Amino acid sequence: MRKLILFMLSLILILSSCELYMDEPEMGDVYVISIGIDYKNNLDSKNNVYKTDDLDGTIPDAKEIFHTIMKISERAKQPWKGYLLLQEGAAYDPVTLGTYEGEGIGKTNYASKAHLLQTLATIQNQATHNDLTILTYSGHGVDKTGEMVMAHTDADGYVPSIEALLVTPNELLTAMGKIDGRKLIILDSCVSGVFVPESESSLSTVLVNGIDDWYAKFWEGSGYNLPDLYVLTASALADSYEDPDSTDHSHGVFTITLLEALGWNHPHGVDISTIEPGTPPALRGSVITVDSLYTYIKKNQDLPIRWNILKPSQEYQHPLVSGGAMDMVLFRF
């Protein structure tokens, strides 16, 4: 009896010490694409053009995520390559609109759809099986359908059709899927849950699926494949909000909590290149994973994650993550 008790205790200790991670990969290079668009160079509706609302937190989102992931990559001793894609301010500069500088600190590319696709193609030609590619987007998501709205490329600011600016879930997931290695998409935009993909073993909780679809999927004989592409989003079919308490230095509610999870201390009015992130609260033992980021954000973001019938006017947003039973290691220290 004592032997059985000791065996059971040992088994419990072993199981409780395990995490459902993928096989521990060799940690290769890190590729980062950070996109921030404030839409302040759109003309108004009097000129018969598409007009989006200006956003204040998207540029700080992109710049500080870019810097923080760079610092964490260096701390994890993983070579880093970063692409910063911005549309900032009201300027209509045809050189800026068309120039593509590529990767590196101090190189800012215009956040057009063409430049995004060019960046993804460049990484596709370089990344290997052990590498990690992280794409972050802070901008508008189309109401109800969620497509990313990239910056226009007309030197006069004229936007004849929003359709030319959109990146659909299928476009982005397909382009990211062609990149070798591990991939993570992080979206701080309205209705961003539509980018969470279905898998062989699950249906989307955001896209419309009937009870018959869920029942059929449950009884399917297909196996579970380990995903190499994860998606972490600010919201499902709801809006994504900016920090209401900040005027001179705003962030998305989702992104400011993501930055906190990575150890960023959110300084105002300083050169961020001089700041080193602290110990990431999302650290689990010696690793940061997709689930550890999601868990921290869901627990600590300022807005509630559910609509409250007692407070119907209260803003809320519910972060989502894809993946499944297996978590994915992003950084190991």
Side-chain angles (χ1 to χ4, degrees), residues 165-239:
L165 312 180
L166 300 184
V167 176
T168 67
N170 183 61
E171 285 179 296
L172 183 62
L173 294 173
T174 298
M176 287 287 289
K178 293 178 181 179
I179 298 173
D180 202 2
R182 293 163 294 134
K183 284 89 64 175
L184 173 62
I185 298 172
I186 302 175
L187 304 176
D188 193 347
S189 54
C190 294
V191 201
S192 49
V194 300
F195 281 83
V196 175
E198 296 185 355
S199 70
E200 293 182 2
S201 57
S202 66
L203 292 176
S204 171
T205 57
V206 175
L207 302 177
V208 175
N209 287 296
I211 189 65
D212 292 343
D213 298 321
W214 291 96
Y215 185 81
K217 177 61 71 174
F218 180 82
W219 289 106
E220 268 188 6
S222 58
Y224 177 80
N225 292 327
L226 295 179
D228 61 6
L229 191 157
Y230 284 64
V231 180
L232 177 60
T233 74
S235 63
L237 285 177
D239 290 336

Side-chain angles (χ1 to χ4, degrees), residues 41-42 92 97 110-112 150-159 165:
N41 62 353
N42 287 328
Y92 304 107
L97 300 182
Y110 188 71
S112 65
M150 301 301 291
H152 74 81
T153 54
D154 191 283
D156 296 321
Y158 181 72
V159 186
L165 312 180

Side-chain angles (χ1 to χ4, degrees), residues 7 20 94 117 215 243 247 275 293 307-308:
F7 173 77
L20 291 175
L117 297 177
Y215 185 81
D243 181 8
T247 55
I275 303 298
L293 292 178
W307 178 73
N308 189 333

Side-chain angles (χ1 to χ4, degrees), residues 13-327:
L13 287 172
I14 291 171
L15 292 176
S16 64
S17 66
C18 292
E19 294 279 2
L20 291 175
Y21 299 142
M22 293 181 180
D23 293 337
E24 292 193 1
E26 180 182 338
M27 308 305 278
D29 295 350
V30 178
Y31 295 87
V32 182
I33 310 162
S34 289
I35 306 166
I37 307 175
D38 65 19
Y39 305 97
K40 293 181 180 178
N41 62 353
N42 287 328
L43 298 182
D44 58 31
S45 57
K46 292 189 300 182
N47 297 290
N48 194 31
V49 297
Y50 184 84
K51 171 67 177 174
T52 55
D53 293 332
D54 295 346
L55 297 173
D56 296 319
T58 50
I59 303 303
D61 281 0
K63 289 181 177 179
E64 293 180 32
I65 290 176
F66 185 82
H67 173 79
T68 303
I69 295 178
M70 175 190 71
K71 290 296 184 181
I72 288 178
S73 301
E74 292 174 349
R75 190 177 302 174
K77 297 181 171 56
Q78 295 175 237
W80 171 91
K81 296 181 180 179
Y83 297 81
L84 188 59
L85 275 63
L86 303 178
Q87 178 274 303
E88 182 176 10
Y92 304 107
D93 181 352
V95 176
T96 301
L97 300 182
T99 299
Y100 184 77
E101 296 183 332
E103 61 93 8
I105 299 173
K107 294 184 177 181
T108 301
N109 302 289
Y110 188 71
S112 65
K113 180 176 180 178
H115 286 169
L116 170 58
L117 297 177
Q118 186 174 352
T119 301
L120 293 172
T122 298
I123 296 174
Q124 179 186 339
N125 291 330
Q126 297 178 3
T128 65
H129 180 68
N130 294 321
D131 295 341
L132 168 66
T133 300
I134 300 176
L135 180 145
T136 77
Y137 170 78
S138 293
H140 278 303
V142 176
D143 183 37
K144 297 181 181 179
T145 54
E147 294 96 335
M148 295 162 51
V149 184
M150 301 301 291
H152 74 81
T153 54
D154 191 283
D156 296 321
Y158 181 72
V159 186
S161 171
I162 189 177
E163 282 71 25
L165 312 180
L166 300 184
V167 176
T168 67
N170 183 61
E171 285 179 296
L172 183 62
L173 294 173
T174 298
M176 287 287 289
K178 293 178 181 179
I179 298 173
D180 202 2
R182 293 163 294 134
K183 284 89 64 175
L184 173 62
I185 298 172
I186 302 175
L187 304 176
D188 193 347
S189 54
C190 294
V191 201
S192 49
V194 300
F195 281 83
V196 175
E198 296 185 355
S199 70
E200 293 182 2
S201 57
S202 66
L203 292 176
S204 171
T205 57
V206 175
L207 302 177
V208 175
N209 287 296
I211 189 65
D212 292 343
D213 298 321
W214 291 96
Y215 185 81
K217 177 61 71 174
F218 180 82
W219 289 106
E220 268 188 6
S222 58
Y224 177 80
N225 292 327
L226 295 179
D228 61 6
L229 191 157
Y230 284 64
V231 180
L232 177 60
T233 74
S235 63
L237 285 177
D239 290 336
S240 171
Y241 294 96
E242 294 191 329
D243 181 8
D245 299 324
S246 180
T247 55
D248 62 330
H249 186 100
S250 184
H251 277 292
V253 170
F254 170 86
T255 296
I256 194 172
T257 318
L258 170 67
L259 287 166
E260 291 172 0
L262 293 170
W264 182 247
N265 60 2
H266 192 58
H268 292 195
V270 299
D271 180 2
I272 63 173
S273 66
T274 64
I275 303 298
E276 287 284 341
T279 300
L283 195 63
R284 288 181 178 172
S286 61
V287 299
I288 296 175
T289 73
V290 176
D291 186 66
S292 72
L293 292 178
Y294 172 70
T295 300
Y296 184 92
I297 293 167
K298 189 176 177 182
K299 182 179 179 181
N300 293 281
Q301 74 172 17
D302 286 341
L303 292 180
I305 64 173
R306 294 180 179 87
W307 178 73
N308 189 333
I309 193 171
L310 301 177
K311 301 177 181 178
S313 62
Q314 184 180 44
E315 295 174 346
Y316 73 98
Q317 62 184 54
H318 197 305
L320 291 180
V321 68
S322 69
M326 299 293 286
D327 200 359

